[in-house]
Amino acid sequence: MSQDIVERVDGLVHPETQVRDHGIDLTVGAIHEVVGPGRIDFGENELEEAEFEPHELTTRNPDDDYQWWDLDAGQYVVQYNEFMVDEGEARLLLQPRNKLMARGASHPTVTIGDHLPLMPLSVGGAGLKVKENARISTLVPVHAGPGALGDEPLDDETTVVEE
C-alpha cells in the first residue's frame, strides 16, 4: 500500500494494527439510531437531515476500559474514529471487513474522496455486539487487485476489487 494513502487518514486508534499491506482498517467511534426521517428530492432544495440519537453503550465487566454497543437486528448509522485529511490523487474504496459480514452485519461499499461519510450499518439475525474501537471497515485503493498486490495470496480479510 502506498504511503500517500496512510497520510490521507488521521485519527488512527492503533496504526500498527490498522495499517495493513492491502489497506487501512477503520474503527467505530459512535453508533447512532435513526429516530426521525430525513427528506430528499430531485432538486435538492428540500433536503432535510434525518434525526439521530446515540445508541447506548454498556460495560460487560466493571474493570473494562471499553464499553459495548448491544445492537438488535436493524439499521444503524456508524461514525468512524478516523477522518480524511487530504483528497489525494487516488480514489479509495471503503468496504466492510469480512469479520463484520461473517457475523451477520454489513454496510455498503463506497468510493471515498475527501471525507468519510456516516455509514449505514445493517445488522441481521440475532443482533451484534460491537466493542468501542472495533475494526469494521477497510479503506483500500480502488486499483487493488491481483496485479496491484503482487503474486502473494491475499488473506481472508481482503475483498479483491477489479476495475
Side-chain angles (χ1 to χ4, degrees), residues 44-135:
E44 296 185 351
N45 56 349
E46 296 182 65
L47 287 174
E48 192 172 300
E49 299 292 328
E51 186 179 336
F52 300 125
E53 284 185 1
H55 190 76
E56 180 182 358
L57 282 161
T58 59
T59 304
R60 286 191 341 177
N61 300 308
D63 296 333
D64 283 348
D65 290 333
Y66 298 97
Q67 297 181 2
W68 294 76
W69 289 280
D70 190 1
L71 306 178
D72 293 327
Q75 296 289 318
Y76 300 89
V77 175
V78 170
Q79 182 175 357
Y80 295 103
N81 286 310
E82 298 77 17
F83 54 94
M84 304 296 291
V85 292
D86 183 18
E87 187 167 335
E89 295 180 24
R91 293 183 313 158
L92 302 175
L93 200 68
L94 181 62
Q95 59 190 25
R97 292 185 75 219
N98 288 348
K99 296 215 184 309
L100 178 70
M101 294 186 296
R103 281 142 187 90
S106 190
H107 66 68
T109 297
V110 296
T111 302
I112 300 298
D114 62 355
H115 76 281
L116 291 171
L118 293 176
M119 183 60 65
L121 176 68
S122 298
V123 176
L128 180 68
K129 296 180 187 321
V130 180
K131 192 172 186 176
E132 283 182 286
N133 301 328
R135 294 178 293 145

